[in-house]
Amino acid sequence: MGYQSRKYRNTLILVAGVLAIWWSVSAVFYGASKSGFAQLQRHMNSKVKPSLQPVNRSSFDWSSVPFRYPAGELTPLPTGGSSRPLPAVQANFAPEGSRASSVRDARRREVMEVFMGDWEAYKKYAWLKDALKPLSGGFQDQFSGWAATLVDSLDTLWIMGLRAEFDEAVDAVAGIDFGQSSSGRVNTFETNIRYLGGLMAAYDLSGREVLLAKAVELGDLLYGAFNTENRMPVDFIDFAAAKTGEGLTVEASVVSASPGTISLEFTRLSQLTGDSKYYDAISRVMDVFYKGQNKTRLPGLWPTMVSMSRQDVVSGYQFTLGGCADSVRFYVFCYDLYEYLPKTHALLGGHEPKYEAMSLGFMEAAKKLLFRPMIPGNESILMPSSGWVNTDEDIVLDNETEHLACFLGGAYALGGKLLNNREYVDIGAKLTLGCVYAYLAFPTGMMPERINMVPCKTWDDCKWDQTLFDEEKRKRPQYKEHLPQGFTTAKDPRYILRPEAIESVFIMYRVTGNPVYQELGWKMFTAIANGTKTETGAHAAVEDVTHAANLLPQSDYMESFWFAETLKYFYLLFCPPDIISLDKYVLNTEAHPFLRS
Ligand SMILES: *[C@@H]1O[C@H](CO)[C@@H](O)[C@H](O)[C@H]1NC(C)=O
Ligand SMILES: *[C@@H]1O[C@H](CO)[C@@H](O)[C@H](O)[C@H]1NC(C)=O
Ligand SMILES: *[C@@H]1O[C@H](CO)[C@@H](O)[C@H](O)[C@H]1NC(C)=O
Ligand SMILES: *[C@@H]1O[C@H](CO)[C@@H](O)[C@H](O)[C@H]1NC(C)=O
Ligand SMILES: *[C@@H]1O[C@H](CO)[C@@H](O)[C@H](O)[C@H]1NC(C)=O
């Protein structure tokens, strides 16, 4: 990277930071002028009449399983009439000039073209498979073989107005057989966020009955995860055993996100069906988290590993806002539990106060895991870290930031708006700019999976100190000379098409109305689209984003979240803000929008 471009990036960051903070003060809380975006895309309004599409029922009826451990009395969906409506999430957008409008629209179309190229590749090489292998043109069935990429992409197809492609995909959904699985063990978490979330969001947008029918079949399969002695869900559903209803055994230790990340989907499924059994199932789990929240070693947060068999969510020492290593899958998302607290609060219209209390508790506590990194331009940004509580009860940060934790800026911004807390929105802005900073700092314009930076002692006073930086980098065996100033490692130098950073940029844009987020997002998009392109016309994870090269080393990997999340967030960033308004929808952790009712 040349001096000029580095200087440009630093200037951009500085401008962004100042503007973002100014906007969150002036626009967010006092309201800007009336919305100028009148042109809501026609297709978003026109729900199709449910067609008489035949639904092929799955070969097994999951609703007929006789449970050894039935629920007993059901907790109904909360519908308290007394609570006030929740505060607005989105800014009042200033009128858009015609030049700004045409730039924005050209960018929107460019994102759509990238999506369409990749969708063609999926259709050509991996139709009805879980994932495309973007280098070899092969495929992979790692999520039970129910066409994960197709289901995950339905709502993106709809939002982009690709109706013919959407119809074709919905026809294929009608034939999915949830009575069979390519694996004997079904992953509860992934099946929930990708498949159930994908089906319900596509139903909420389009009103196609077949999508709800399939969501209910799958919901009943997942409901089988709760057929356990203490009604806590299993992490993996033994497919054959679940069919008998004889009962499943809860794992002794799981990452906290797994049981904690069903709340949004099961709440929506109860809302859509009027059957409270799904909400009841998840409310028992969330009660365990609620009761334990203030009793952990870092009150407000739950340890990385919890035991649902003992209903122990308080004992561990390790805390993370990013990914988690677990014994079964090496690396999984671990943050969704937190993100789901304000989101479920929104979906329930504020009618269950526990979600508000848990959101507040988590956002207060998570501040202790944030740090302001020392960077050459002295810009005020924040980074999330993981940490542990030592034997003296002190919190020790590892000063390590994962791309996965970049969701946190958006979570603070959303939670801050819903809880009417300005400080949290400001923290959200600084966290978002922290991840954007990392994108812009590396010569490929992409952020590595995992990095280390040098924290300042306080958030207020943080000036670049070369001597201190040199000292800190010597402590890191993974330090490499070519890393940009400010980074002491890029421990995992890959970029694997992840969405979390653009997700936060999108939310900050909708929350503040500040167009600087669109500019930052556009820089990210051009870097990613260019750096990850493959010869099959699709996009692939890259192995090392810390070196610029004509062709970056790639791996044969394109997860469905590229369609479901990354490209959707980029697309929505360049849409008029009433498309998937955050006052109307809440997006699950796989970016599937559910109607807030
Ligand atoms: C539904 O099942 C019939 C009979 O097995 C089959 O011919 C048809 O292709 C299936 N429909 C879909 C959408 O898979
Ligand atoms: C935990 O503490 C917060 C704030 O101190 C409080 O609002 C919340 O109700 C507490 N949770 C429980 C289960 O007592
Ligand atoms: C950052 O702070 C250091 C130490 O005060 C100073 O030398 C440097 O010029 C500052 N950098 C910028 C871009 O303002
Ligand atoms: C992270 O940075 C803080 C503040 O400089 C330091 O106290 C702590 O030891 C660092 N953590 C690790 C694991 O080096
Ligand atoms: C595209 O990526 C390649 C490889 O990193 C780089 O050499 C080239 O400059 C990039 N082009 C643009 C327009 O960013």
Side-chain angles (χ1 to χ4, degrees), residues 74-139:
L74 298 183
T75 305
L77 274 169
T79 51
S82 56
S83 52
R84 284 166 292 126
L86 296 175
V89 172
Q90 294 211 155
N92 286 318
F93 279 78
E96 188 184 35
S98 64
R99 211 191 96 73
S101 166
S102 67
V103 169
R104 178 185 54 69
D105 208 53
R107 291 173 174 179
R108 178 185 66 79
R109 271 181 276 119
E110 212 166 305
V111 177
M112 186 160 92
E113 266 153 37
V114 166
F115 177 92
M116 289 192 306
D118 288 21
W119 187 249
E120 283 309 312
Y122 174 69
K123 279 176 38 174
K124 184 165 166 195
Y125 300 110
W127 183 241
L128 299 184
K129 301 296 178 188
D130 285 348
L132 166 70
K133 292 180 137 184
L135 296 185
S136 57
F139 58 79

Side-chain angles (χ1 to χ4, degrees), residues 32-98:
S33 63
K34 264 250 148 308
S35 166
F37 297 112
Q39 75 281 39
L40 182 65
Q41 279 167 339
R42 284 278 277 307
H43 71 267
M44 289 296 299
N45 283 332
S46 60
K47 286 201 176 173
V48 265
K49 268 246 149 302
S51 65
L52 292 173
Q53 197 166 16
V55 182
N56 286 8
R57 309 298 310 192
S58 289
S59 59
F60 182 79
D61 178 4
W62 288 99
S63 69
S64 71
V65 174
F67 272 28
R68 174 155 176 208
Y69 305 109
E73 201 184 325
L74 298 183
T75 305
L77 274 169
T79 51
S82 56
S83 52
R84 284 166 292 126
L86 296 175
V89 172
Q90 294 211 155
N92 286 318
F93 279 78
E96 188 184 35
S98 64

Side-chain angles (χ1 to χ4, degrees), residues 258 268 300 390 393 443 493 510 563 587:
S258 294
R268 186 70 194 133
N390 66 17
E393 305 286 309
R510 291 295 183 88
F563 287 132
L587 281 73

Side-chain angles (χ1 to χ4, degrees), residues 21 58 97 149 226 268 270 333 338 365 374 389 455 470 519 523 531:
I21 289 154
S58 289
T149 291
F226 294 82
R268 186 70 194 133
S270 278
F333 310 118
Y338 298 117
M374 189 177 78
V389 175
D470 291 342
E519 296 307 317
K523 285 197 78 69

Side-chain angles (χ1 to χ4, degrees), residues 289-294 357-358 360-361:
F289 281 105
Y290 176 67
K291 290 194 189 109
Q293 185 173 19
N294 296 341
M358 284 191 281
L360 190 62

Side-chain angles (χ1 to χ4, degrees), residues 74-77 223 266 270-271 273-281:
L74 298 183
T75 305
L77 274 169
Y223 188 66
F266 266 33
S270 278
Q271 289 175 340
T273 58
D275 186 341
S276 59
K277 72 177 186 183
Y278 312 104
Y279 179 75
D280 166 79

